[in-house]
Amino acid sequence: MSYQTGIGQRTAVVTGASSLKGIGFHTALRFAQEGWAVAMMDLNQEGLQRALDAVQEQVPDAKLLALPVNVTDPDSVKAAAEQVAASELPPVGALANIAGIPSPASFLELTLDEWHKVIEVNLTGPFLMSQAFVPQMIDGGYGRVVNMSSVTAQHGGGVFSKTSYAAAKAGVLGLTRGMARELAEHGITVNAVAPGVVDTEIRVGSDEETEKALAAAVPLKRQAKPEEIAALFVWLSCEDSAYITGTTQSINGGTYVM
Ligand SMILES: NC(=O)c1ccc[n+]([C@@H]2O[C@H](COP(=O)([O-])OP(=O)(O)OC[C@H]3O[C@@H](n4cnc5c(N)ncnc54)[C@H](O)[C@@H]3O)[C@@H](O)[C@H]2O)c1
């Protein structure tokens, strides 16, 4: 199945794209496989170049750009938006706000610094990125923003994702709903994706036993593959999803159903 935008080639901006095992990398790859140009962004510059090379190897004719960006820094985000606009890539049509960090600190031990950091990366980042790139979508006449939330926003948290992460990812749902209502007049849709446990390396320090236990707790008895989350990001960016906006798309193997 192919997800064409149906409106000519566009650029997808993907944050959190540097880890070859991560959701951002797989989303960039899937966009490229579906014929989109991709601007790949991450804090990790070295990993980003490796990730761009890996996408290019699998999709040799893909138009790609790698930009080191700190999504919490307004100047860095603004510079990235200017660089994309000045580049040879086609107009920006989609923004996948995937960069994020976990927070295993328990509520009673959570420091104010950690609280701020988790909110900054997971919630302020998508806000800054969206504010920087949505004007390019309005100018280009096509726009899709897909924000990364988590099942944690719905059920409150687990081993690696406690209160500050739950608050940030629940904030992403509010951000998504507000943006969806305000940007509808421009034909821009905004949705959130809320995965359950995904087989990536975000759970730093986790061991095999813990990973198996996380999978066993899922009704479908496995973790999601990053490719499965990537496919949802790309589908929410395509022409076929034009009437879906302001929603939370759960993708959790039955962990949280409503
Ligand atoms: N893996 C899971 O189980 C799971 C479940 C639900 C939601 N998520 C969310 O999915 C997203 C991707 O996670 P992943 O599992 O692929 O892990 P990952 O660690 O591979 O991806 C996160 C990426 O964000 C980047 N990043 C962190 N801070 C940044 C900043 N300030 N600016 C730019 N980039 C920054 C990191 O360098 C990293 O490449 C995160 O938002 C995470 O919270 C993950």
Side-chain angles (χ1 to χ4, degrees), residues 113-240:
D113 277 353
E114 176 154 6
W115 166 266
H116 281 310
K117 191 172 175 205
V118 173
I119 299 288
E120 285 280 297
V121 180
N122 293 297
L123 178 57
T124 308
F127 158 67
L128 290 174
M129 286 293 298
S130 300
Q131 212 177 42
F133 281 97
V134 162
Q136 294 185 32
M137 296 180 186
I138 294 173
D139 288 348
Y142 184 92
R144 302 278 190 267
V145 179
V146 188
N147 293 322
M148 180 61 90
S149 182
S150 165
V151 70
T152 304
Q154 298 161 318
H155 70 29
V159 187
F160 292 90
S161 49
K162 293 208 167 71
T163 299
S164 59
Y165 185 82
K169 293 299 190 185
V172 167
L173 302 184
L175 174 73
T176 299
R177 292 169 189 148
M179 284 175 58
R181 301 275 289 199
E182 290 196 49
L183 299 176
E185 66 176 291
H186 301 289
I188 291 172
T189 68
V190 188
N191 291 287
V193 169
V197 65
V198 188
D199 185 11
T200 73
E201 292 180 332
I202 199 169
R203 291 174 292 279
V204 178
S206 185
D207 54 27
E208 207 182 318
E209 204 179 313
T210 309
E211 291 298 309
K212 274 190 186 157
L214 288 172
V218 178
L220 282 179
K221 297 294 169 212
R222 68 172 177 86
Q223 300 190 8
K225 300 176 202 153
E227 292 91 330
E228 292 172 309
I229 314 301
L232 186 51
F233 269 84
V234 177
W235 186 74
L236 286 168
S237 302
C238 78
E239 185 74 0
D240 284 348

Side-chain angles (χ1 to χ4, degrees), residues 25-103:
F25 166 74
H26 283 283
T27 301
L29 175 62
R30 185 65 190 258
F31 269 120
Q33 287 169 334
E34 301 297 342
W36 292 67
V38 190
M40 300 168 68
M41 302 187 187
D42 203 286
L43 203 52
N44 176 349
Q45 192 166 353
E46 205 179 301
L48 195 57
Q49 189 55 47
R50 226 182 1 251
L52 180 139
D53 292 344
V55 174
Q56 199 80 74
E57 197 183 325
Q58 294 191 56
V59 191
D61 59 350
K63 285 187 191 161
L64 305 173
L65 183 67
L67 289 177
V69 173
N70 180 352
V71 298
T72 71
D73 176 355
D75 292 337
S76 170
V77 168
K78 188 166 169 263
E82 285 168 0
Q83 278 175 276
V84 170
S87 75
E88 289 178 354
L89 296 184
V92 171
L95 169 62
N97 279 314
I98 296 179
I101 52 170
S103 176

